[in-house]
Amino acid sequence: MPSFKVKVKWGKEMFPDVEVNTEEDPLLFKAQLFALTGVQPNRQKVMVKGMTLKDTEWGNLPLKDGVMVLLMGSKEEDVPSEPAVKPVFMEDMNESELATAMDLPAGLTNLGNTCYLNATVQCLKTVPELRDGLQSFEASVGGGSFVPSQSITVALRDLYAMMDRGASFSPLILLQVLRLAFPRFAEKGAGGVYMQQDANECWTELVRMLQQKLPSKPVEGSKYQPKSLIEQYFGGRFDVEYKCNEASEEEPTRSEEDFLQLSCFISQDVRYMLSGLRSKLQEHITKNSPTLGRDAVYTKTSKISRLPAYLTVQFVRFYYKERESVNAKILKDVKFPMEFDAVELCTPELQEKLTPMRDRFKQLEDRKVEEQLNLKDKKAGDSKVKTRKEPYWLENDLGSNNSGYYTLQAVLTHRGRSSSSGHYVGWVRQSDNTWLMCDDDKVTPVSAEDILKLSGGGDWHCAYVLLYGPRIMEIPEGMDLSSSTAEKVVEKMETENSSNTQ
């Protein structure tokens, strides 16, 4: 019998009916103990009747139902910090240490078909406001009860902290609490091997758990008060109208819907992301008509009334094939932009709010063109001009987007023919034209041109989830955007003409 229910004693605390499965790796049991006590696996000493549990094998540990398991070890916050690390020369570094020295982020170990989790973690890590929110989250796990949202939030916080130290790292704790919270991620196939999972489902569940625990940043005087940081920075809102196609006399009904990601539906006619998004925002549905007293066809039209700072777009590439009982993949090539303008998808009221910042971007581009045409006034070898960053959110709505302009900052791709097989990879922007391919524990620099090749059309990596961040306006110090030189010339000519007419 490989599965037992044991009692775990840790100091003065007792945890009854803790399940142990000896068919799994002992590290998974230690991860489960971490979820209960907060003691990191590398600090745990687990003993049963004088015998110590190893990390790699169960050995002859005398396990049975009701046996007492003794856990020794302290939480990380109860242990003094380690001494400073001695300097290491580059010629003495291994591959992972060199990656750290070259400012490459840490990779994540594949624990057996866990690339879906690794890619998701790498993409979400590109959001600085999410990182700040996690660092400020002071709760810990333990206390005997398993709270999925808190355990996942703590595990992701600690994982990012470990990744910041460089080199590759194992996401074992996060994986274990994810499987405890959502058993479908612990499904096994033939031979007892953990099955591949859908990365977008993992993304959705992680974000939903964070939504329950990370509080929003307060904004004084704001009418919009989001409940969580996720809603504040990732959440958008639709204005929705339902119009009955079979009863013209029936008044349209209107409502609001919140969203955390947009869906890009892929049909035979869709070649670009924007057209796939449009097809979802106007669709036909069937629902009961109070005028006709029966089900009727309605046109559902959605327009965005709030744009979040970070816009998540899922390419709906998988559909269920009944004959093979698999989620088959649509390999069609669908182009996506590095810079995305979402204004066309917005309500007229929101478009009006976005206009001032859009005009400022236009003025900035015009001034840059003028400066390029006036290069003779600049000396060669001048140092880089300092800039100041303008807020990207609407007044009294922290976490929104005030221009409708977005910049692509992360792509999650899938290579294979179904969502339950193949391989997932995260691609994240490091600088303007440099990206990083995060393929589990291997992190490799790539170019922006490589990212544009991820649009699909074959068995190469296909974009599945895109993460767009706000386009940041950076104004060179001393530049005045009130009016450009060309505008001043026009104004002067208009004034002279007016004077001559009089």
Side-chain angles (χ1 to χ4, degrees), residues 224-441:
Y224 176 68
Q225 294 291 347
K227 298 178 182 178
S228 73
L229 183 135
I230 295 298
E231 182 182 332
Q232 190 171 35
Y233 286 93
F234 291 81
R237 181 169 296 120
F238 286 125
D239 280 356
V240 183
E241 178 186 89
Y242 295 91
K243 175 65 178 174
C244 184
N245 296 4
E246 302 177 39
S248 57
E249 70 276 11
E250 184 175 313
E251 287 292 324
T253 58
R254 293 175 175 82
S255 62
E256 291 184 338
E257 293 180 4
D258 294 329
F259 67 86
L260 290 176
Q261 66 175 211
L262 298 180
S263 297
C264 175
F265 280 83
I266 302 174
S267 64
Q268 187 175 359
D269 300 328
V270 172
R271 297 174 56 194
Y272 299 95
M273 184 183 80
L274 182 59
S275 58
L277 293 174
R278 281 200 211 103
S279 66
K280 173 61 179 175
L281 298 184
Q282 186 163 31
E283 55 186 337
H284 292 97
I285 65 169
T286 301
K287 71 185 194 80
N288 184 266
S289 168
T291 303
L292 302 176
R294 59 174 176 81
D295 286 348
V297 176
Y298 282 75
T299 297
K300 178 184 177 183
T301 303
S302 302
K303 287 287 186 179
I304 298 175
S305 58
R306 182 189 192 261
L307 279 173
Y310 296 91
L311 189 65
T312 307
V313 180
Q314 182 217 0
F315 280 33
V316 186
R317 287 197 175 275
F318 298 105
Y319 67 98
Y320 188 70
K321 265 190 174 180
E322 292 187 10
R323 182 177 297 179
E324 292 86 356
S325 298
V326 296
N327 283 324
K329 184 177 178 181
I330 301 172
L331 298 173
K332 183 177 173 62
D333 184 357
V334 179
K335 305 295 184 186
F336 55 87
M338 284 290 189
E339 303 289 334
F340 177 57
D341 185 0
V343 70
E344 181 184 329
L345 308 177
C346 301
T347 62
E349 293 79 10
L350 180 56
Q351 290 179 356
E352 186 176 348
K353 292 180 181 179
L354 302 179
T355 299
M357 196 62 177
R358 295 172 69 84
D359 289 343
R360 286 173 63 80
F361 271 110
K362 177 64 167 60
Q363 291 170 359
L364 180 60
E365 292 301 319
D366 290 344
R367 291 300 300 272
K368 286 182 178 179
V369 171
E370 290 176 8
E371 290 186 356
Q372 289 295 321
L373 296 175
N374 197 25
L375 284 176
K376 61 182 180 180
D377 293 336
K378 290 191 174 183
K379 296 180 181 180
D382 282 352
S383 59
K384 188 176 180 181
V385 178
K386 293 183 179 180
T387 61
R388 70 177 188 274
K389 294 182 179 180
E390 294 286 291
Y392 59 78
W393 57 88
L394 290 167
E395 186 179 1
N396 296 329
D397 189 1
L398 182 63
S400 64
N401 183 305
N402 62 3
S403 68
Y405 293 132
Y406 288 93
T407 300
L408 185 64
Q409 67 181 48
V411 181
L412 190 153
T413 62
H414 177 265
R415 184 177 185 179
R417 293 298 180 113
S418 73
S419 62
S420 57
S421 64
H423 186 59
Y424 292 97
V425 172
W427 311 69
V428 300
R429 184 190 292 269
Q430 187 182 38
S431 61
D432 288 343
N433 198 46
T434 303
W435 285 68
L436 299 172
M437 176 183 178
C438 301
D439 186 355
D440 291 327
D441 57 347

Side-chain angles (χ1 to χ4, degrees), residues 1-12:
M1 181 179 179
S3 183
F4 307 97
K5 287 190 175 181
V6 302
K7 301 175 183 177
V8 176
K9 180 174 175 59
W10 176 56
K12 297 181 180 180

Side-chain angles (χ1 to χ4, degrees), residues 108-165:
L108 293 170
T109 307
N110 192 319
L111 301 174
N113 285 332
T114 59
C115 55
Y116 67 92
L117 175 63
N118 293 347
T120 299
V121 168
Q122 293 283 17
C123 290
L124 290 175
K125 191 172 181 286
T126 64
V127 180
E129 291 85 357
L130 176 60
R131 298 291 312 280
D132 292 342
L134 285 168
Q135 289 176 1
S136 302
F137 188 67
E138 298 180 349
S140 61
V141 296
S145 60
F146 175 68
V147 181
S149 57
Q150 180 159 316
S151 295
I152 286 176
T153 303
V154 169
L156 186 60
R157 177 198 66 191
D158 294 347
L159 177 58
Y160 282 158
M162 293 297 294
M163 292 173 68
D164 286 341
R165 301 178 186 177

